[in-house]
Amino acid sequence: MDRSSILARYLPILDWGRRYDRAALGSDMMAAVIVTIMLIPQSLAYALLAGLPPVVGLYASILPLAAYALLGTSRTLAVGPVAVISLMTASAAGSVAAPGTPEYLEAAIALAMLSGIMLAILGFIRAGFLANLLSHPVISGFITASGMLIATSQLRHILGIPGGGDNLPELVERTVSNIGTFNVSTIMVGVSSLVFLFWVRKGAKPALIRLGLKPGVADILAKAGPILAVVAAIFAVVFGELEERGVAVVGAIPSGLPPFAAPVVNLGLWSQLWLPALLISIIGFVESVSVAQTLAAKRRQRISPDQELLGLGASNIAAAFSGGYPVTGGFARSVVNFDAGARTPAAGAYTAVGIALASVFLTPLLFSLPVATLAATIIVAVLGLIDVKTPFHLWRYSKSDFSAHIATIAMTLAMGVEIGVITGVSTGLILYLWKASRPHAAVVGRVPGTEHYRNIDRHEVITWPHILSIRIDESLTFLNARWLEEYVLERMVEKPELRHVVLLCSAVNSIDASGLESLEAINHRLADAGISLHLSEVKGPVMDGLKRSGILEELHGKIFLSQDKAIAQLIQQADADPEGEDHWHARGLI
Amino acid sequence: MDRSSILARYLPILDWGRRYDRAALGSDMMAAVIVTIMLIPQSLAYALLAGLPPVVGLYASILPLAAYALLGTSRTLAVGPVAVISLMTASAAGSVAAPGTPEYLEAAIALAMLSGIMLAILGFIRAGFLANLLSHPVISGFITASGMLIATSQLRHILGIPGGGDNLPELVERTVSNIGTFNVSTIMVGVSSLVFLFWVRKGAKPALIRLGLKPGVADILAKAGPILAVVAAIFAVVFGELEERGVAVVGAIPSGLPPFAAPVVNLGLWSQLWLPALLISIIGFVESVSVAQTLAAKRRQRISPDQELLGLGASNIAAAFSGGYPVTGGFARSVVNFDAGARTPAAGAYTAVGIALASVFLTPLLFSLPVATLAATIIVAVLGLIDVKTPFHLWRYSKSDFSAHIATIAMTLAMGVEIGVITGVSTGLILYLWKASRPHAAVVGRVPGTEHYRNIDRHEVITWPHILSIRIDESLTFLNARWLEEYVLERMVEKPELRHVVLLCSAVNSIDASGLESLEAINHRLADAGISLHLSEVKGPVMDGLKRSGILEELHGKIFLSQDKAIAQLIQQADADPEGEDHWHARGLI
């Protein structure tokens, strides 16, 4: 690869930037305005969820977007703080410091830095496949459980009571034990915000259309609903003097651009946070790539998962350098960006400018924003994450996927996000390895009057007492090598007159070194019992490997092109061999 | 299952014990005598290797054998202390206490207890398949490296210098830095023991036969070689007054039966030792089952791996209750037991009696046994573990198996046994998952004049610009779900006139929930781009699952019985559809 194509690979902007024109500029600007309006309340709310000052949410929505615009491959992905990652940040930072302390903020920044470095390394070594370890049932279980945890954790802000916690028992116990200290004004603000936001989400657009607005305009106005709620809530607090009645507000937010500073390299802290940072990286990457792929396909575009790792890595490093916390591509905002007509990653850069302007000019106005309204924003957003249908689907479709799903939900709720993800991944892998270690195989016999061989348990077929034919429906690997030895030897013990074993290898796509050694062991063990091992219908590449390995010289039997040729020759041999005569009851059947 | 068959399953002795007769008794007694003679020096030596008093080796060779005789399924497996497990015990116990202290012995006993409990639990939940995670290249790499570590660790006893260490750099550095303190008398004893034992191993039997002995007698005498070396060395020490010349001896060994006492339940200690105990359990189980299977097959017998877990679990718990340390089935002694004619597990029980008699009557005689002779016994035994051919075989056969093998050897030598095993298992799994996440697939076209469809990169085939046929050579699972989405969407982007995608599913044995969701995602994404997704040659059980899942109602295409029917109908459709006319260049080819 020459230098310019390497550059083009790592900097997708060189591709789309060259063809950038006025039409694209217009579309991108329009989308940026809408996404900015949507992002301001969301960023504040998710920072609150992460246990951080609200302004940190704004900081995490400026430079990271610009970094992704440079390196990302999705035209429409909108990165920034998201609910699940905010919850994971709260859990990880909370394990090393108390919320509200400088150490807590330092931990959140360190998580962004570590996560950025990990994503970038995974991108450089092209290890995007590691994200495959998260199966769909595990991800959806994790997201459902996270949604439940998040919604429960925000209830206290609606009620105006203290609380907190990393898992459902903690959250419920602390909410219930403080429930007597509720604040009526806070509940009024919180509940009216909730009701309004639910209505905006479901009923606003049709209502506006009925009022005579064009669908496009109605849509944009509906999307501005959360910012309307924020403005209305601020007015209510200021003119209703609600702060004096005990309604918690956001308070002073430093205005101005984010601080640009290299994050402190604190190896002690990093060694405590590497595991949660890795989990944040993987969950964030999986979510982001799913969204990006869905949107790219709609326009017949494509994204490169390995380059996405670099883009998200750069975003998180940028977050760490500008006082932010871990970010990733969000589903809702990306869909809005896409629907609003964004055509290139430049839309993300314009959104960054929008948020930067907001953090310079709007922050003083947010002093009186009630926390209950932000909590309502979060609750409305995350209820969409809770998926009650999937367990039923999975139960019907696959019991093992269902188990992994339920285990992930149960452990996330009971023990928190980190143990939840780890449980999900390990349950999924163990079930997979368990299945892979017991592949399907069948003893086969000849369908009368044909050259076909079928499972003796399912079909009326001809077999011979001195020949055992086994079809293996799987590649031979270390996971099933031991199983294969047991399977063949058990079948052997069942047939006292056995003299030939034929393995029908038509479904064996590959044989690894362990599979090869098992074949050798089976060959020797059969030979010790006076039985020959034969192979039939071995695929070309597998045969090449067997030749290279030298096993063919040791084999006490032959390789046959087809199962039928194998049987024909082994029968002939028995006929020619007088000693074999009495082993030979089924001959009349042929 | 009724009560007696459950009992029969868990107590194999009820099966073979019923048919026990005088002939079996004679064979078993003979084998027991030979194995006892072999085990006495080995048990003392391996205890030394484990950093324990030599008598602990004898204790570990009494009750564990009796326990295995009750619960084990192999007729000929001989359990007891073995080299690799002794090394792992030394490494684990050395991490919590100094050799020679009561805490060190307590740790060794705790390892036996933990390992016994783990093996028994794995047996009850029938989780023997977990041992599959260790591929052959990883096991053989681990054993080769362990053999090198063990041989190097014993050199200092031959030289009579201080030393020790958990990995090769430590061992070499400490041996080299102390080399000046060598003891001439020790070297003479050590080197002559080494030379004699090597000769016994290779040349003794032929020499005795040349002297006119019958091969059987010569064989038994050759096997008694090590005990001869022990006797000769004791005489040399006593009559040559070698102890005064600085030759280290075993010293006072408490005589009598092992102490029978419940091991101390020390949860703090257990929590430090659970990981090494788990590794000891798995390595011990894998080794033992391989030996047991090899020997069982020679007599057309079979073993049950899950029941073997119970047998080995009981052996280790018995070891813990009688002051011993972790045990497993050993290769050399089992082969000797088999060759000597053992017919039932009773041979193991008789061996236990033999060792018990030895520990009551012989221990006073062992006072002057030189440590150098025991070290020579170990070195001669473990050199057989070092396998120099395997890396070359693996390099030729499979680069990924070779990598796992070399990584295991390198990490075991450099960092010790625990990190070595963990590296091996994780390298093997990651390579496997990496391959599983990128299965083989091909775009196919029709072989002219036939109904066959083949890879377009390998054959001259007919394709159509508006139809894309893809054959997937693997089941669809969470590991390759993301890959499948990317693969199909990338191929789609390459064909601008595309209107139909057909997935040829003849090699798809199963589809898990993630694979199903990927199919749904592909279906929707293709539909967004105006393309239909069809499936062909779906297997029966897979089809049942798809029906259950409800995906068939959503599919924007059809299910075809054969790939050829799919193509025929899609071509007809295009002919009927005037809009499709201009997409239609290849028609002339048909």
Side-chain angles (χ1 to χ4, degrees):
Chain A
M1 235 188 309
D2 65 22
R3 202 164 160 188
S4 73
S5 63
I6 290 177
L7 266 181
R9 178 168 127 199
Y10 286 118
L11 287 173
I13 192 175
L14 295 180
D15 174 41
W16 59 263
R18 233 171 250 163
R19 283 165 298 171
Y20 204 66
D21 57 14
R22 190 182 290 258
L25 177 71
S27 307
D28 285 349
M29 290 288 278
M30 182 66 199
V33 170
I34 295 174
V35 173
T36 302
I37 290 171
M38 179 186 175
L39 265 189
I40 292 170
Q42 259 195 17
S43 303
L44 300 169
Y46 289 150
L48 181 78
L49 170 56
L52 294 163
V55 74
V56 173
L58 293 177
Y59 293 168
S61 306
I62 303 174
L63 276 196
L65 279 71
Y68 184 83
L70 276 177
L71 290 166
T73 56
S74 165
R75 302 294 176 91
T76 45
L77 190 73
V79 299
V82 304
V84 173
I85 300 295
S86 299
L87 176 68
M88 294 178 82
T89 301
S91 164
S95 71
V96 297
T101 60
E103 290 75 27
Y104 188 91
L105 178 60
E106 195 198 335
I109 295 175
L111 282 169
M113 190 67 193
L114 279 174
S115 167
I117 293 171
M118 287 172 177
L119 287 163
I121 290 174
L122 290 175
F124 275 118
I125 65 173
R126 312 187 84 66
F129 82 94
L130 281 181
N132 295 348
L133 300 187
L134 279 167
S135 69
H136 284 284
V138 168
I139 299 172
S140 83
F142 177 68
I143 287 181
T144 289
S146 298
M148 291 177 182
L149 285 181
I150 294 170
T152 313
S153 77
Q154 298 307 303
L155 269 186
R156 64 188 167 102
H157 294 304
I158 304 282
L159 298 169
I161 61 176
D166 280 340
N167 55 50
L168 202 60
E170 274 177 27
L171 287 166
V172 169
E173 192 269 323
R174 291 184 200 167
T175 305
V176 170
S177 67
N178 292 317
I179 201 130
T181 67
F182 69 90
N183 177 288
V184 177
S185 307
T186 306
I187 293 180
M188 284 173 61
V189 172
V191 170
S192 48
S193 302
L194 264 181
V195 170
F196 176 73
L197 289 169
F198 268 116
W199 175 75
V200 160
R201 201 180 170 86
K202 300 282 179 190
K205 195 177 158 188
L208 291 169
I209 293 173
R210 274 196 303 276
L211 286 175
L213 289 172
K214 284 187 190 156
V217 181
D219 196 42
I220 291 171
L221 278 180
K223 272 182 196 117
I227 210 140
L228 246 169
V230 163
V231 172
I234 292 174
F235 273 92
V237 169
V238 171
F239 294 102
E241 288 174 347
L242 295 183
E243 215 186 326
E244 287 77 59
R245 299 200 196 164
V247 173
V249 296
V250 162
I253 301 179
S255 78
L257 290 173
F260 190 82
V264 187
V265 175
N266 176 340
L267 291 181
L269 182 63
W270 285 21
S271 72
Q272 286 175 284
L273 293 177
W274 74 267
L275 180 62
L278 182 64
L279 298 176
I280 286 174
S281 305
I282 292 180
I283 294 281
F285 173 64
V286 168
E287 272 305 284
S288 184
V289 161
S290 310
V291 177
Q293 272 181 334
T294 305
L295 297 179
K298 282 187 200 262
R299 295 196 191 144
R300 291 206 182 197
Q301 293 162 349
R302 54 181 296 264
I303 61 156
S304 151
D306 286 323
Q307 178 67 26
E308 282 299 287
L309 282 167
L310 293 178
L312 292 176
S315 290
N316 277 291
I317 292 170
F321 271 81
S322 55
Y325 74 105
V327 295
T328 191
F331 179 69
R333 74 192 57 169
S334 298
V335 171
V336 169
N337 194 34
F338 182 92
D339 287 344
R343 283 172 52 182
T344 75
Y350 306 150
T351 306
V353 174
I355 305 273
L357 291 174
S359 68
V360 171
F361 297 110
L362 295 185
T363 42
L365 307 177
L366 296 172
F367 183 95
S368 297
L369 172 56
V371 170
T373 301
L374 288 181
T377 314
I378 296 174
I379 291 175
V380 173
V382 299
L383 286 185
L385 300 181
I386 299 172
D387 176 358
V388 291
K389 284 189 201 150
T390 294
F392 297 97
H393 278 302
L394 289 174
W395 173 257
R396 270 204 313 279
Y397 187 69
S398 152
K399 299 292 177 288
S400 79
D401 279 316
F402 174 80
S403 318
H405 183 72
I406 294 297
T408 310
I409 293 181
M411 291 302 279
T412 305
L413 291 180
M415 311 284 290
V417 282
E418 283 156 29
I419 294 187
V421 177
I422 293 170
T423 304
V425 171
S426 40
T427 308
L429 277 182
I430 288 176
L431 287 171
Y432 176 85
L433 295 173
W434 181 73
K435 279 192 278 184
S437 70
R438 315 175 59 187
H440 189 251
V443 174
V444 296
R446 179 149 77 189
V447 181
T450 74
E451 293 184 359
H452 297 298
Y453 288 77
R454 294 279 181 280
N455 192 338
I456 58 165
D457 295 330
R458 298 202 186 173
H459 300 86
E460 283 287 327
V461 291
I462 305 169
T463 58
W464 299 265
H466 71 306
I467 302 176
L468 174 66
S469 301
I470 296 174
R471 191 191 68 219
I472 303 153
D473 292 344
E474 187 69 70
S475 292
L476 305 183
T477 68
F478 65 98
L479 291 175
N480 56 35
R482 200 177 316 282
W483 163 88
L484 181 68
E485 293 178 39
E486 280 163 33
Y487 186 85
V488 174
L489 297 174
E490 274 181 40
R491 296 296 97 73
M492 170 190 95
V493 174
E494 290 161 7
K495 290 189 86 152
E497 301 172 48
L498 189 65
R499 293 175 60 208
H500 300 283
V501 171
V502 187
L503 294 184
L504 174 50
C505 299
S506 51
V508 176
N509 288 317
S510 67
I511 300 180
D512 76 0
S514 306
L516 186 72
E517 241 183 87
S518 278
L519 279 184
E520 282 171 4
I522 292 170
N523 178 44
H524 286 301
R525 288 172 194 176
L526 290 178
D528 283 344
I531 301 170
S532 307
L533 175 69
H534 311 269
L535 306 177
S536 77
E537 305 190 13
V538 181
K539 292 188 171 186
V542 175
M543 193 66 200
D544 294 344
L546 293 181
K547 277 182 190 150
R548 256 194 339 267
S549 74
I551 191 186
L552 299 184
E553 286 95 74
E554 287 174 38
L555 201 65
H556 289 266
K558 294 183 184 166
I559 311 276
F560 294 98
L561 272 183
S562 79
Q563 177 67 14
D564 202 54
K565 284 189 182 139
I567 296 295
Q569 187 169 340
L570 296 176
I571 288 174
Q572 227 169 22
Q573 254 180 31
D575 277 339
D577 173 7
E579 247 199 301
E581 200 77 50
D582 52 0
H583 294 287
W584 196 225
H585 307 305
R587 205 164 25 169
L589 280 171
I590 307 161
Chain B
M1 230 186 316
D2 64 25
R3 205 163 159 189
S4 72
S5 62
I6 291 179
L7 267 180
R9 178 167 130 202
Y10 287 118
L11 287 172
I13 191 175
L14 295 181
D15 175 40
W16 59 263
R18 234 172 252 161
R19 282 166 297 170
Y20 204 67
D21 57 15
R22 189 182 292 258
L25 176 73
S27 308
D28 285 349
M29 290 287 279
M30 181 66 200
V33 169
I34 294 173
V35 174
T36 302
I37 289 171
M38 178 185 176
L39 265 189
I40 292 171
Q42 259 195 17
S43 303
L44 299 169
Y46 289 150
L48 181 78
L49 169 56
L52 293 163
V55 74
V56 173
L58 294 178
Y59 293 168
S61 307
I62 303 174
L63 276 196
L65 279 71
Y68 183 84
L70 275 178
L71 289 165
T73 57
S74 165
R75 303 293 176 92
T76 43
L77 190 73
V79 299
V82 305
V84 173
I85 299 296
S86 299
L87 176 68
M88 294 179 82
T89 300
S91 164
S95 71
V96 296
T101 60
E103 289 74 27
Y104 188 91
L105 178 58
E106 194 197 338
I109 294 175
L111 282 169
M113 191 66 193
L114 279 173
S115 168
I117 293 171
M118 289 172 175
L119 288 163
I121 290 174
L122 291 174
F124 275 117
I125 65 172
R126 313 189 83 67
F129 81 95
L130 281 179
N132 295 347
L133 301 186
L134 280 167
S135 69
H136 284 285
V138 167
I139 300 173
S140 83
F142 177 69
I143 288 180
T144 288
S146 297
M148 291 177 183
L149 285 181
I150 294 170
T152 314
S153 76
Q154 297 307 304
L155 269 186
R156 64 190 166 100
H157 295 303
I158 304 282
L159 297 170
I161 62 176
D166 279 340
N167 55 51
L168 201 60
E170 274 177 27
L171 286 166
V172 169
E173 193 268 323
R174 292 185 198 169
T175 305
V176 169
S177 67
N178 292 319
I179 201 131
T181 66
F182 69 90
N183 177 288
V184 177
S185 306
T186 306
I187 294 181
M188 283 174 59
V189 172
V191 170
S192 48
S193 302
L194 264 181
V195 170
F196 175 72
L197 290 168
F198 269 116
W199 175 77
V200 160
R201 200 180 170 86
K202 301 280 181 193
K205 194 177 157 188
L208 290 170
I209 292 173
R210 274 196 303 277
L211 286 176
L213 287 174
K214 284 187 188 155
V217 180
D219 196 43
I220 290 172
L221 278 181
K223 272 181 196 118
I227 209 139
L228 246 169
V230 163
V231 172
I234 292 173
F235 272 91
V237 169
V238 172
F239 294 101
E241 288 172 351
L242 294 183
E243 217 186 323
E244 287 77 59
R245 298 198 195 164
V247 173
V249 296
V250 162
I253 300 178
S255 77
L257 291 172
F260 189 82
V264 187
V265 176
N266 176 340
L267 290 181
L269 180 65
W270 284 20
S271 73
Q272 285 175 287
L273 293 178
W274 73 268
L275 181 61
L278 182 65
L279 298 175
I280 286 175
S281 305
I282 293 179
I283 295 280
F285 174 63
V286 168
E287 272 304 285
S288 183
V289 161
S290 311
V291 176
Q293 274 182 332
T294 306
L295 297 180
K298 281 188 201 261
R299 294 196 192 144
R300 291 206 183 196
Q301 293 162 347
R302 57 180 295 264
I303 60 154
S304 151
D306 287 323
Q307 178 67 26
E308 281 299 287
L309 282 167
L310 292 179
L312 292 176
S315 290
N316 278 290
I317 292 172
F321 271 80
S322 54
Y325 73 106
V327 295
T328 192
F331 180 69
R333 75 191 59 168
S334 299
V335 171
V336 168
N337 194 34
F338 182 93
D339 287 345
R343 284 170 55 180
T344 76
Y350 306 151
T351 306
V353 173
I355 305 274
L357 291 174
S359 67
V360 171
F361 297 111
L362 294 186
T363 41
L365 308 177
L366 297 172
F367 184 94
S368 297
L369 171 56
V371 170
T373 300
L374 288 182
T377 313
I378 297 174
I379 291 175
V380 172
V382 299
L383 286 184
L385 300 180
I386 299 171
D387 175 358
V388 292
K389 284 188 200 152
T390 294
F392 296 96
H393 278 301
L394 288 174
W395 172 258
R396 270 203 314 279
Y397 187 69
S398 153
K399 299 291 177 288
S400 78
D401 279 316
F402 174 80
S403 319
H405 182 73
I406 294 298
T408 309
I409 292 181
M411 291 302 280
T412 305
L413 290 179
M415 311 284 290
V417 281
E418 283 158 28
I419 294 186
V421 177
I422 293 170
T423 304
V425 171
S426 42
T427 308
L429 276 182
I430 287 176
L431 288 170
Y432 176 85
L433 295 172
W434 182 73
K435 279 192 277 183
S437 71
R438 316 175 58 188
H440 189 250
V443 174
V444 297
R446 178 150 76 190
V447 180
T450 73
E451 294 182 0
H452 296 299
Y453 289 76
R454 294 279 181 278
N455 192 337
I456 59 167
D457 295 331
R458 298 205 184 170
H459 300 86
E460 283 288 327
V461 291
I462 305 169
T463 59
W464 298 267
H466 70 306
I467 303 176
L468 175 64
S469 302
I470 296 174
R471 191 192 67 219
I472 303 152
D473 292 344
E474 187 70 71
S475 292
L476 304 182
T477 69
F478 66 98
L479 291 174
N480 57 34
R482 201 176 316 282
W483 163 89
L484 180 69
E485 292 178 41
E486 281 162 31
Y487 185 85
V488 174
L489 297 174
E490 273 180 40
R491 296 296 96 72
M492 171 190 95
V493 174
E494 289 162 6
K495 290 190 88 153
E497 299 172 50
L498 189 63
R499 293 175 61 208
H500 299 283
V501 171
V502 188
L503 294 185
L504 175 49
C505 300
S506 51
V508 176
N509 288 317
S510 67
I511 300 182
D512 75 1
S514 306
L516 186 73
E517 242 184 87
S518 277
L519 277 184
E520 282 172 3
I522 293 170
N523 178 43
H524 287 301
R525 288 173 194 175
L526 290 177
D528 283 344
I531 301 170
S532 306
L533 176 67
H534 311 269
L535 305 178
S536 77
E537 304 190 13
V538 181
K539 292 190 173 185
V542 175
M543 192 68 198
D544 294 343
L546 294 180
K547 277 181 191 152
R548 253 191 345 262
S549 75
I551 192 186
L552 299 183
E553 285 95 74
E554 288 174 39
L555 202 66
H556 289 267
K558 295 183 183 162
I559 310 278
F560 293 98
L561 272 182
S562 79
Q563 177 67 13
D564 201 53
K565 283 188 182 142
I567 296 295
Q569 186 169 340
L570 296 176
I571 288 173
Q572 227 171 20
Q573 251 178 34
D575 277 340
D577 172 9
E579 249 198 299
E581 201 76 50
D582 53 359
H583 294 286
W584 196 224
H585 305 307
R587 208 166 21 171
L589 280 172
I590 307 159

